[in-house]
């Protein structure tokens, strides 16, 4: 019998991550392939971004398909039946369609008949936004088990004629189960936005401002537009500030970080954050070389890969930190158990 999201007794619970999963498609887009289609070089891409390759779905695959694969893994890892889910939240800038939400499509594919499902959009910060929303519902006692997903098929909104952007982005999906049960405890989440930076990273057409038309297609307005160096400057600044904010919220400081999982956009942004936060290389997760920037899926996949590495110890403080279009930023401190 459906429990109803708001019928549970309100009380304070800890919110924990009890399972993770991820999926990246098999097809690899290498730097040498990009050298063939735009005026770029492997040397330029690696030195400016750290990216060696990224993944791309087949034409018939959409975001909900890869989100579902990551979700099933996370459910298995948590040993949870889909009918035990109260909520599904998907973060994506590449939904299958404007509506229904990608979360509703995932709900259908996994048979989560008791869940409420909806999407959120906070670009590359989206997965941590999901975690934060899930944390609030669990802590208030309004939900027991929430599936959070970051999933993107960025290859379908990337202009492979634009060397400024096509080298950066890839496809993938990651998922986690946030629960009242014992697991990696979410100690804090911190979210921020600045709409004044809305024109630094955006997709001009396909919404109500510029609905799809022959003209929008001819002008390539259905592809990502980006002011790379401005985004870079913002990212470098916000990675440190957002990390410090999340730590402050749980009475920790820089020296308490055992492991940092930063948004995987550019190795130079990650190295800069590492330096500002006094962290050595072994304390920072990196997979940008393999997958490029997967937007909302970036942190979600990184969290799952960190979980599978089984390198962290009980009691370690793990910081997630991301930035993205909007502008948005987000961070979280998780106590590994
Ligand atoms: N290959 C070769 N040259 C390229 C190129 C490519 N793929 N892309 C851009 N260039 C050129 C530019 O046209 C420019 O040439 P010009 O000086 O003749 O005009 C030159 O390289 C330098 O461009 P610049 O933008 O200053 O380079 P950069 O060092 O800032 O690196 C980015 C560019 C995009 C890699 C970098 O700014 C970046 O990563 N920004 C953040 C982007 C991001 O993270 N976005 C997602 C946020 S979630």
């Amino acid at each position: 019998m459906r429990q109803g999201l708001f019928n549970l007794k309100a009380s304070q619970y800890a919110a924990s991550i009890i399972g993770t999963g991820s999926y990246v498609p098999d097809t690899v887009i290498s730097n040498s392939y990009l050298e063939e289609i735009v005026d770029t070089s492997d040397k330029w891409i690696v030195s400016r971004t750290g990216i060696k390759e990224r993944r791309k779905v087949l034409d018939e695959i959409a975001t909900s398909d890869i989100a579902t694969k990551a979700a099933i893994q996370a459910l298995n890892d948590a040993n949870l039946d889909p009918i035990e889910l109260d909520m599904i939240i998907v973060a994506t800038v590449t939904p299958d369609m404007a509506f229904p939400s990608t979360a509703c499509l995932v709900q259908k594919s996994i048979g989560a008949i008791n869940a409420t499902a909806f999407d959120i959009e906070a670009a590359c910060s989206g997965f941590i936004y999901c975690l934060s929303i899930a944390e609030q519902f669990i802590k208030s006692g309004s939900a027991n088990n929430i599936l959070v997903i970051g999933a993107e098929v960025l290859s379908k909104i990337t202009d492979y004629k634009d060397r400024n952007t096509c080298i950066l982005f890839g496809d993938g999906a990651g998922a986690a189960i946030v629960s009242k049960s014992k697991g990696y405890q979410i100690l804090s989440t911190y979210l921020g936005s600045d709409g004044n930076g809305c024109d630094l990273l955006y997709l001009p057409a396909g919404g109500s401002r510029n609905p799809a038309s022959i003209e929008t297609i001819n002008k390539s307005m259905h592809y990502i537009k980006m002011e790379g160096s401005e985004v870079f400057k913002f990212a470098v600044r916000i990675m440190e500030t957002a990390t410090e904010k999340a730590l402050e919220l749980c009475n920790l400081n820089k020296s308490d970080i055992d492991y940092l999982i930063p948004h995987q956009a550019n190795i130079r942004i990650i190295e800069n954050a590492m330096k500002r936060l006094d962290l050595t290389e072994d304390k920072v997760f990196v997979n940008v070389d393999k997958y490029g920037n997967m937007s909302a899926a970036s942190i979600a996949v990184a969290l799952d890969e960190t979980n599978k590495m089984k390198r962290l110890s009980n009691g370690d403080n793990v910081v997630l930190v991301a930035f993205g279009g909007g502008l948005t930023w987000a961070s979280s401190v998780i106590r590994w158990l």
Side-chain angles (χ1 to χ4, degrees):
M1 194 49 192
R2 192 190 155 90
Q3 201 154 21
L5 262 186
F6 304 99
N7 295 336
L8 297 171
K9 193 165 171 268
S11 59
Q12 279 285 324
Y13 297 97
S16 296
I17 294 171
I18 61 162
T20 63
S22 65
Y23 173 81
V24 291
D26 293 336
T27 307
V28 172
I29 305 270
S30 64
N31 287 350
S32 55
Y33 171 76
L34 294 173
E35 280 176 346
E36 285 170 28
I37 59 169
V38 286
D39 180 14
T40 191
S41 67
D42 173 59
K43 195 168 165 227
W44 192 96
I45 301 171
V46 173
S47 65
R48 298 295 179 109
T49 71
I51 302 169
K52 293 179 181 152
E53 53 188 48
R54 62 296 282 147
R55 301 299 178 97
K56 183 180 186 298
V57 297
L58 301 175
D59 287 351
E60 65 272 23
I61 299 298
T63 297
S64 70
D65 302 321
I66 61 172
T68 297
K69 287 183 190 286
I72 291 169
Q73 263 197 35
L75 286 161
N76 288 340
D77 191 39
N79 203 13
L80 201 74
D81 195 291
I83 62 169
E84 294 176 86
L85 290 172
D86 302 308
M87 191 181 274
I88 301 172
I89 318 172
V90 175
T92 186
V93 296
T94 51
D96 287 28
M97 53 194 96
F99 65 89
S101 67
T102 303
C104 280
L105 302 175
V106 172
Q107 176 187 26
K108 179 182 173 216
S109 11
I110 63 173
I113 50 170
N114 294 315
T116 295
F118 60 94
D119 288 359
I120 66 117
E121 201 274 86
C124 305
S125 314
F127 182 72
I128 304 179
Y129 271 61
C130 287
L131 272 187
S132 183
I133 296 166
E135 180 197 17
Q136 312 310 320
F137 273 97
I138 298 290
K139 277 188 167 174
S140 70
S142 303
N144 291 327
N145 297 303
I146 301 179
L147 168 62
V148 292
I149 302 174
E152 303 286 8
V153 173
L154 295 174
S155 59
K156 295 199 186 180
I157 58 165
T158 296
D159 184 352
Y160 288 97
K161 291 194 180 97
D162 176 12
R163 69 175 183 173
N164 291 295
T165 54
C166 74
I167 57 157
L168 298 174
F169 300 108
D171 302 340
I177 310 287
V178 183
S179 173
K180 212 169 69 174
S181 306
K182 204 160 174 247
Y184 306 148
Q185 193 184 341
I186 301 174
L187 299 185
S188 69
T189 53
Y190 165 73
L191 311 178
S193 320
D194 179 8
N196 289 315
C198 61
D199 50 1
L200 297 183
L201 186 54
Y202 68 116
L203 187 99
S208 57
R209 179 70 62 196
N210 298 299
S213 68
I214 301 290
E215 192 195 357
T216 60
I217 291 167
N218 288 341
K219 289 184 175 168
S220 297
M221 290 167 72
H222 300 270
Y223 294 128
I224 299 169
K225 308 291 174 206
M226 184 183 73
E227 295 293 332
S229 55
E230 289 306 310
V231 175
F232 191 96
K233 282 184 236 162
F234 153 72
V236 159
R237 182 170 45 81
I238 209 68
M239 291 283 260
E240 182 187 22
T241 316
T243 299
E244 283 173 343
K245 288 278 187 191
L247 288 165
E248 211 177 286
L249 287 172
C250 51
N251 298 316
L252 297 174
N253 58 52
K254 283 199 293 199
S255 62
D256 296 310
I257 303 176
D258 294 299
Y259 202 63
L260 181 77
I261 303 181
H263 175 44
Q264 304 290 309
N266 183 319
I267 194 68
R268 291 189 292 140
I269 295 171
I270 295 171
E271 284 169 354
N272 196 290
M274 206 163 84
K275 204 181 292 170
R276 287 173 182 236
L277 295 165
D278 298 325
L279 292 170
T280 47
E281 229 173 71
D282 57 311
K283 289 190 165 186
V284 181
F285 181 89
V286 174
N287 67 6
V288 68
D289 52 326
K290 293 191 292 180
Y291 305 138
N293 182 346
M294 298 183 290
S295 191
S298 161
I299 293 276
V301 170
L303 181 66
D304 181 51
E305 292 195 343
T306 301
N307 192 12
K308 284 176 179 151
M309 276 188 325
K310 304 220 177 291
R311 244 183 56 185
L312 299 179
S313 317
N314 274 5
D316 278 356
N317 296 314
V318 179
V319 175
L320 314 181
V321 60
F323 60 90
L327 298 169
T328 59
W329 54 92
S331 51
S332 174
V333 182
I334 295 171
R335 169 104 8 110
W336 221 250
L337 283 174

